């Protein structure tokens, strides 16, 4: 539905779109169909046309060549399907905002449509179709993307002020796609961290009617502002109006977790996977949530779905297998868990990351089977592999390793590792709740809570000392202080954000220094990697961009 929000839409002439110079990729497992579509494209004067008979071949071609138009069948036989080609293309950056991706399909089941829609192709086309229909679709999408090209470029470059300016400029011209431009402006305001402006923007639109994207944006704004009760009501209202808006389920579940209601959050995700059963990441999230809620039956079903659906997905991860193996232990099927870990050996390359995942999980499973010697051998392998990685271990895996230490009776090593996780995530309630769950399972809930509280207080005090130095005007001392803290805590977003902030404050007073500017960028890159949605990140990035322009 196009929503015109009360403006008179300008009846503009469509821009002339020439497709002759476009690079086209056609993906279908039937040779004759590829040939037919190639002939359609050739009749438009397009010279560069490539084709692939499988999803795997398509991704390989996309890795070495940037295509302007990708026409991809959904059902590609064994291997990756069209949805997985689209998700991998976006994940690896082979498909950007200017790429036209059209899903071609003879299948129109709700399951397929819901699965594909979550990764937002530009359009669908049911087979068979006439040349004119395909050409019109491509030209319409190309015209729309041309209209938004400069805005998308500014967003990609994190130049949010310019993106907003471009949106406002286009809106004054009252173009035909006014609704899409406004939706984009809302997204930019959220990315910029301008939540108050975003709230006012969405409220103004909602005064004119129930616009789903504006409702969703308003809910996200409340979520980011910490107004969880209001965000919950909005997401529930969206789902009540249209139960196919899957993003609303994900945000509602996240909101309920923030409200310390994980059981209700689990139920929301269970409802979502019934409607859209091919969303791999949602299955992973549901499995983790159900495991934390000790609903091991649901966790088993979800992790099995994640393993099955992940076989040809770029989101496949050893943790899908290790989570399933650990869940099977709780379902009194530890032997089946070991079998799952054995299967993982064939699915992933033999490297340190895989070995660490599997040896940690093996140690857990053997411990629960009371096979002490096997558990210790697996833990020794995990310890050796962790040392090879030189501390570069993802947070969830580090917690699994700590759990394995605790389960094997190596309490000192386990608690030391968990303390380092808390130091990096002292403000992350979800991580802290996962830590509490580990201590609870080990019968150490009270000791775990004390460790969390003590460590969190230490980090808050450490941060406050640096902030006070800066507030008292001792910026140079604050820089030294936060640099030392950030070296010790490279995964703590608040410490790194403050390290960048004091450096930039110093340069605003004393002038730009190339090395200090580069160091500030390093800290900001860390913050982006840890949590791009961090409330102060956009303001810090703007400050950095202004300083860079003065250099």
């Amino acid at each position: 539905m196009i929503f015109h929000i009360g403006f008179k839409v300008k009846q503009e002439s469509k821009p002339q779109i020439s497709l002759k110079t476009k690079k086209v990729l056609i993906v279908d497992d039937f040779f004759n169909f590829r040939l037919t579509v190639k002939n359609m494209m050739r009749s438009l004067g397009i010279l560069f046309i490539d084709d692939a008979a499988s999803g795997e071949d398509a991704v390989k071609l996309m890795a070495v060549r940037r295509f302007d138009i990708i026409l991809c069948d959904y059902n590609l036989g064994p291997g990756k399907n069209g949805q997985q080609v689209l998700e991998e293309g976006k994940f690896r950056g082979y498909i950007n905002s200017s790429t036209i991706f059209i899903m071609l399909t003879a299948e129109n089941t709700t399951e397929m449509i819901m699965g594909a829609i979550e990764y937002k192709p530009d359009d669908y086309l049911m087979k068979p179709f006439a040349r004119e229909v395909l050409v019109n679709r491509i030209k319409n999408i190309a015209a729309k993307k041309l209209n938004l090209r400069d805005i998308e470029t500014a967003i990609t470059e994190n130049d949010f002020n310019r993106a907003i300016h471009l949106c406002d400029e286009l809106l004054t011209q009252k173009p035909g796609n006014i609704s899409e431009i406004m939706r984009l402006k809302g997204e930019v305001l959220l990315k910029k961290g301008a939540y108050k402006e975003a709230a006012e923007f969405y409220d103004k639109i909602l005064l004119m009617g129930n616009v789903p994207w504006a409702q969703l944006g308003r809910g996200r704004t409340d979520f980011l502002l910490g107004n969880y009760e209001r965000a919950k009501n909005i997401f529930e209202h969206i789902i009540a109006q249209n139960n196919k808006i899957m993003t609303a389920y994900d945000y509602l579940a996240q909101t309920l977790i923030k409200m310390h209601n994980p059981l209700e959050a689990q139920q929301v995700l269970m409802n979502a996977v019934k409607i859209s059963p091919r969303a791999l990441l949602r299955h992973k999230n549901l499995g983790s949530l159900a495991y934390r809620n000790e609903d091991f039956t649901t966790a088993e079903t979800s992790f099995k779905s994640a393993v099955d659906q992940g076989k040809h997905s770029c989101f496949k991860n050893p943790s899908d297998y290790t989570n399933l193996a650990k869940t099977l232990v709780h379902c009194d099927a530890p032997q089946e868990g070991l079998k799952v870990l054995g299967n993982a050996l064939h699915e992933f390359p033999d490297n340190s990351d895989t070995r660490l995942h599997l040896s940690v999980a093996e140690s857990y499973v053997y411990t629960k089977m009371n096979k002490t010697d096997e558990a210790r051998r697996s833990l020794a392998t995990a310890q050796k592999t962790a040392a090879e990685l030189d501390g570069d271990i993802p947070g969830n895996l580090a917690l699994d390793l700590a759990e394995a230490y605790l389960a094997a009776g190596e309490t000192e090593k386990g608690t030391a590792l968990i303390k380092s996780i808390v130091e990096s995530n002292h403000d992350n309630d979800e991580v802290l709740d996962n830590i509490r769950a580990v201590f609870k399972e080990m019968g150490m809930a009270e000791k775990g809570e004390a460790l969390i509280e003590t460590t969190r207080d230490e980090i808050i005090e450490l941060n406050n000392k640096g902030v006070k130095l800066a507030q008292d005007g001792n910026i140079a001392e604050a820089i030294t202080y936060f640099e030392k803290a950030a070296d010790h805590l490279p995964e703590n977003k608040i410490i790194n954000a403050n390290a960048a902030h004091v450096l930039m404050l110093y340069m605003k007073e004393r002038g730009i220094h190339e090395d200090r500017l580069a160091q500030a960028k390093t800290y900001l890159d860390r913050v982006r990697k840890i949590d791009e949605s961090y409330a102060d990140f956009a303001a810090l990035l703007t400050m950095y961009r202004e300083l860079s322009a003065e250099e």
Side-chain angles (χ1 to χ4, degrees):
M1 180 186 74
I2 302 296
F3 180 69
H4 294 153
I5 61 165
F7 290 111
K8 186 177 179 182
V9 176
K10 187 177 179 181
Q11 295 300 314
E12 54 191 334
S13 58
K14 285 186 180 177
Q16 291 298 312
I17 301 291
S18 171
L19 300 175
K20 288 183 181 177
T21 58
K22 302 297 183 190
K23 294 181 175 64
V24 177
L25 173 63
I26 299 163
V27 190
D28 198 292
D29 51 337
F30 287 99
F31 174 80
N32 286 340
F33 184 80
R34 297 201 304 277
L35 188 62
T36 300
V37 179
K38 279 171 100 170
N39 287 334
M40 289 181 182
M41 294 293 101
R42 283 195 186 108
S43 71
L44 297 169
I46 297 175
L47 297 175
F48 194 102
I49 306 170
D50 223 328
D51 67 305
S54 70
E56 284 73 11
D57 288 346
V59 172
K60 284 177 189 170
L61 286 171
M62 289 156 65
V64 296
R65 211 163 291 151
R66 180 58 56 88
F67 293 97
D68 303 301
I69 302 169
I70 299 172
L71 307 173
C72 183
D73 186 30
Y74 181 84
N75 192 343
L76 296 169
K80 292 182 189 297
N81 60 32
Q83 175 188 332
Q84 290 165 333
V85 172
L86 175 58
E87 71 184 18
E88 185 157 353
K90 288 195 170 186
F91 176 70
R92 300 196 187 286
Y94 305 153
I95 294 173
N96 61 26
S97 58
S98 67
T99 313
I100 295 174
F101 190 105
I102 297 181
M103 194 77 80
L104 312 174
T105 180
E107 190 180 346
N108 63 353
T109 62
T110 303
E111 189 173 314
M112 183 284 290
I113 292 170
M114 291 307 299
I117 207 170
E118 304 227 26
Y119 289 94
K120 298 180 176 65
D122 291 300
D123 210 342
Y124 302 91
L125 206 48
M126 289 297 295
K127 294 179 178 178
F129 48 81
R131 171 188 173 280
E132 290 70 26
V133 173
L134 176 62
V135 173
N136 282 338
R137 295 280 180 97
I138 291 174
K139 286 192 172 180
N140 285 338
I141 297 167
K144 186 178 72 175
K145 286 180 180 279
L146 183 65
N147 182 243
L148 302 176
R149 185 182 56 193
D150 291 346
I151 300 171
E152 296 282 7
T153 301
I155 294 171
T156 304
E157 293 172 351
N158 291 320
D159 193 346
F160 302 129
N161 288 337
R162 176 170 164 71
I164 292 169
H165 172 73
L166 289 168
C167 286
D168 288 338
E169 205 170 64
L170 264 183
L171 288 169
T172 60
Q173 300 168 20
K174 299 177 184 173
N177 59 341
I178 193 168
S179 177
E180 184 149 7
I181 297 165
M182 296 198 78
R183 184 189 60 76
L184 212 48
K185 181 178 176 181
E187 291 291 326
V188 178
L189 287 170
L190 290 180
K191 277 181 180 286
K192 187 187 170 191
Y195 301 139
K196 189 179 169 196
E197 289 174 67
E200 290 170 356
F201 172 77
Y202 287 123
D203 283 344
K204 198 179 288 183
I205 294 169
L206 291 171
L207 282 175
M208 302 175 193
N210 288 328
V211 186
W213 62 260
Q215 289 176 321
L216 196 59
R218 189 64 177 90
R220 289 168 61 197
T221 307
D222 277 314
F223 175 80
L224 291 165
L225 285 167
N227 301 329
Y228 299 130
E229 187 64 44
R230 185 183 157 91
K232 171 177 173 284
N233 292 337
I234 292 173
F235 296 134
E236 286 177 341
H237 180 65
I238 294 170
I239 293 169
Q241 286 182 313
N242 182 350
N243 72 350
K244 301 290 193 301
I245 300 180
M246 305 315 297
T247 313
Y249 291 86
D250 297 327
Y251 276 108
L252 177 56
Q254 288 179 46
T255 305
L256 289 165
I257 289 170
K258 289 285 186 186
M259 296 173 77
H260 304 288
N261 195 344
L263 287 173
E264 198 176 335
Q266 178 186 325
Q267 188 57 53
V268 168
L269 292 183
M270 288 170 71
N271 293 341
V273 297
K274 280 181 193 167
I275 295 168
S276 179
R278 296 193 191 179
L280 171 61
L281 297 181
R282 191 172 296 116
H283 279 294
K284 292 187 186 203
N285 289 337
L286 175 55
S288 298
L289 193 51
Y291 188 94
R292 200 170 106 193
N293 288 335
E294 299 182 6
D295 178 356
F296 299 114
T297 303
T298 301
E300 180 186 354
T301 304
S302 300
F303 286 135
K304 279 184 174 173
S305 295
V307 167
D308 289 342
Q309 293 183 17
K311 283 187 186 303
H312 304 292
S313 169
C314 59
F315 297 128
K316 178 172 74 173
N317 190 283
S319 64
D320 302 336
Y321 291 73
T322 57
N323 285 333
L324 176 57
K326 286 173 64 178
T327 303
L328 287 167
V329 170
H330 290 280
C331 295
D332 296 324
Q335 286 292 351
E336 193 182 341
L338 289 174
K339 190 176 169 186
V340 168
L341 296 177
N343 292 339
L345 283 172
H346 303 292
E347 291 287 335
F348 297 94
D350 181 17
N351 57 30
S352 298
D353 185 63
T354 303
R355 282 197 297 277
L356 184 57
H357 269 98
L358 299 185
S359 55
V360 166
E362 275 179 358
S363 174
Y364 180 89
V365 176
Y366 281 131
T367 299
K368 295 295 181 181
M369 294 171 75
N370 292 320
K371 293 188 173 183
T372 311
D373 291 341
E374 288 89 340
R376 287 197 178 281
R377 274 199 295 274
S378 297
L379 190 54
T381 302
Q383 191 169 358
K384 183 182 169 193
T385 311
E388 289 171 2
L389 290 170
D390 196 24
D392 186 18
I393 307 172
N396 286 343
L397 185 52
L399 184 57
D400 284 347
L401 178 58
E403 184 180 28
Y405 278 133
L406 294 178
E410 298 195 34
T411 308
E412 192 173 334
K413 286 182 182 174
T415 51
L417 191 50
I418 287 179
K419 183 176 175 63
S420 71
I421 298 170
V422 178
E423 285 176 341
S424 295
N425 298 276
H426 74 283
D427 63 332
N428 188 326
D429 287 339
E430 194 172 345
V431 171
L432 298 182
D433 282 345
N434 287 338
I435 290 171
R436 289 187 181 98
V438 167
F439 276 119
K440 183 184 172 190
E441 185 178 343
M442 297 299 149
M444 301 167 63
E446 198 172 325
K447 186 173 180 180
E449 194 59 42
L451 176 75
I452 290 170
E453 290 303 316
T454 303
T455 308
R456 190 160 57 182
D457 288 347
E458 287 171 1
I459 299 300
I460 291 171
E461 187 180 351
L462 184 148
N463 183 61
N464 287 347
K465 278 184 181 176
V467 170
K468 188 166 189 318
L469 282 171
Q471 288 174 336
D472 291 344
N474 301 317
I475 303 293
E477 284 182 58
I479 290 173
T480 306
Y481 184 88
F482 273 119
E483 283 182 339
K484 190 175 174 185
D487 285 345
H488 176 59
L489 299 167
E491 299 295 326
N492 187 300
K493 70 182 176 199
I494 293 176
I495 295 293
N496 281 278
N498 279 330
H501 193 195
V502 292
L503 272 169
M504 292 191 291
L505 285 175
Y506 185 86
M507 286 186 280
K508 279 188 87 169
E509 286 182 5
R510 308 287 181 88
I512 311 300
H513 187 283
E514 190 178 337
D515 291 343
R516 289 188 190 280
L517 198 61
Q519 191 59 42
K521 177 73 165 46
T522 299
Y523 294 136
L524 289 177
D525 285 344
R526 287 183 187 173
V527 177
R528 185 203 306 274
K529 185 179 171 189
I530 298 164
D531 181 7
E532 195 173 7
S533 65
Y534 174 50
D536 294 333
F537 179 66
L540 290 170
L541 202 58
T542 301
M543 193 174 174
Y544 171 80
R545 189 171 290 113
E546 289 169 357
L547 288 168
S548 299
E550 293 175 18
E551 191 183 17

